[in-house]
Amino acid sequence: MLSRVMPSNVEIKASVSDRALFAEKAAQLSQSEGTIIRQHDTFFNCSQGRLKLRDFMNESGQLIFYERPDTDGPKLSRYSISPTSDPSSLRAVLSDALGVKGEVRKERRLFLIGQTRVHLDTVEGLGHYMELEVVMRPEQTVEEGQQVAEDLMEKLGVSKESLVTGAYMDLLLKGHKET
């Protein structure tokens, strides 16, 4: 079997106390108002990493497998993605085969700043969060990606204290409520 290098990104997730202020800073840095994306993620049981089906609620979706350590601060995430034009039937098949671990519904506002995707998320049952995804170029080191993320965190006014570990799914399973 041929092994292939999975694409990777450096991610940071943090809670956001002032959604309007964060949106204003992100809009200034990206020179755009951002794009609103509705997402319904279904997580399936799997033996390693995470497997989720992302439904964009418009007859399109993505099956996403990823591996990422659950630690504070910038972390490297490796992933593979397959698009689908029928997320509901794929959800049914995967639910039957693997079982559902849980679901996350969110409204995401996406800003593009350099090589970084900045997400301002409102997550059902959790509240407001931001995610930075530094899309790594092949020649970049993890450290360079982390530096990009940390610089942007500073520009966006994200404090180290607001950093969050794990995925929204983990937070929902742990029973975190809106603060």
Side-chain angles (χ1 to χ4, degrees):
M1 188 174 124
L2 262 137
S3 85
R4 63 184 186 87
V5 177
M6 290 169 81
S8 64
N9 58 31
V10 169
E11 293 187 10
I12 289 183
K13 184 177 292 170
S15 58
V16 170
S17 50
D18 189 335
R19 190 172 180 276
L21 181 63
F22 183 89
E24 191 182 305
K25 287 180 179 175
Q28 281 173 352
L29 289 167
S30 70
Q31 301 182 331
S32 82
E33 287 306 304
T35 308
I36 301 286
I37 305 166
R38 288 172 57 231
Q39 297 178 340
H40 175 189
D41 292 347
T42 304
F43 285 78
F44 301 97
N45 297 313
C46 79
S47 56
Q48 65 174 49
R50 298 166 198 265
L51 182 65
K52 71 181 169 189
L53 177 64
R54 172 158 289 164
D55 187 338
F56 293 111
M57 317 304 290
N58 63 1
E59 308 297 308
S60 76
Q62 296 172 326
L63 185 62
I64 304 168
F65 171 77
Y66 66 100
E67 296 176 294
R68 177 183 71 209
D70 289 328
T71 54
D72 272 344
K75 47 195 159 281
L76 188 68
S77 175
R78 298 182 193 285
Y79 58 91
S80 48
I81 297 177
S82 176
T84 177
S85 55
D86 191 354
S88 55
S89 73
L90 186 54
R91 180 182 301 112
V93 170
L94 290 167
S95 299
D96 290 347
L98 302 172
V100 172
K101 186 177 181 180
E103 296 179 69
V104 176
R105 287 178 169 79
K106 64 180 173 280
E107 184 179 275
R108 166 165 284 177
R109 192 161 157 195
L110 167 66
F111 300 92
L112 297 173
I113 302 172
Q115 71 187 97
T116 306
R117 296 169 59 91
V118 177
H119 304 145
L120 177 55
D121 292 339
T122 300
V123 185
E124 239 176 68
L126 283 180
H128 304 299
Y129 291 83
M130 72 98 223
E131 272 184 358
L132 302 181
E133 283 182 7
V134 182
V135 181
M136 300 294 287
R137 294 192 285 262
E139 75 281 1
Q140 279 183 308
T141 65
V142 178
E143 291 74 25
E144 288 171 309
Q146 289 173 337
Q147 193 56 58
V148 169
E150 285 169 6
D151 291 347
L152 202 46
M153 252 177 76
E154 205 172 303
K155 288 178 184 157
L156 290 165
V158 177
S159 69
K160 291 219 183 326
E161 295 72 48
S162 64
L163 292 176
V164 173
T165 56
Y168 295 135
M169 186 71 259
D170 303 326
L171 296 174
L172 285 165
L173 290 173
K174 284 181 195 160
H176 279 249
K177 290 290 171 261
E178 291 192 37
T179 48

